[in-house]
Amino acid sequence: MTTPSALERPRGVPFTRRMTARAVLLPAAALSLLPPRRIRAVLEVARRGARPATAAQAKNAREAMCAVSLRCAGPKGCLPRSLGAALLCRLGGTWPTWCTGVRVVPPFTAHAWIEADGHPVDEGVPDDYFTRLITVAPTSRPTGR
């Protein structure tokens, strides 16, 4: 017997934003198949030169990914969703903090998400609900002349 469930897909995502999200969906899905150290290496290169993403920018990117992909909108789509949202932010010149980790309380569950301003974006959990194992944060720019 199965339990019925319905996925909430965001509405009101502009057409151009949805098309851009579709463009990063395939690279995000391919990236999600790599081992963690390779994902981190690719994301560390991708983040170069980007400004830190605001909470609104990160939320818009996450919503766009969920709007174009049922997998990303689903409960097991956290890795491609977070990778796609990070890449989508990067196309706009910003970078959220990309995180992967585990749930603090049992049962053990791995998860991937993005953060902005030190808080998970649209995860619906407290800030300390997950323990971060890998993070790729925006780089700080040098303040030289």
Side-chain angles (χ1 to χ4, degrees):
M1 184 168 204
T2 61
T3 304
S5 63
L7 298 176
E8 293 269 335
R9 291 180 80 178
R11 300 188 187 281
V13 178
F15 177 76
T16 55
R17 187 71 166 167
R18 287 194 320 267
M19 291 301 104
T20 308
R22 283 188 194 279
V24 301
L25 187 58
L26 184 59
L31 194 57
S32 72
L33 300 175
L34 296 177
R37 66 184 172 88
R38 295 246 192 248
I39 293 173
R40 182 194 312 207
V42 170
L43 295 181
E44 286 175 347
V45 170
R47 74 177 174 180
R48 290 183 188 161
R51 301 178 318 276
T54 65
Q57 290 167 327
K59 178 180 169 75
N60 288 340
R62 186 183 189 283
E63 285 180 351
M65 294 308 299
C66 291
V68 300
S69 168
L70 281 175
R71 180 174 180 213
C72 287
K76 296 185 186 239
C78 63
L79 186 56
R81 175 178 59 236
S82 65
L83 291 168
L87 294 174
L88 194 54
C89 282
R90 183 61 188 103
L91 287 177
T94 63
W95 187 261
T97 299
W98 179 83
C99 305
T100 186
V102 295
R103 197 158 60 170
V104 174
V105 295
F108 171 84
T109 304
H111 190 56
W113 67 97
I114 58 170
E115 294 183 354
D117 303 325
H119 305 287
V121 175
D122 268 7
E123 291 298 326
V125 296
D127 292 352
D128 60 350
Y129 191 75
F130 297 106
T131 296
R132 291 160 191 81
L133 299 177
I134 301 172
T135 61
V136 180
T139 57
S140 58
R141 294 188 176 188
T143 57
R145 293 181 184 173

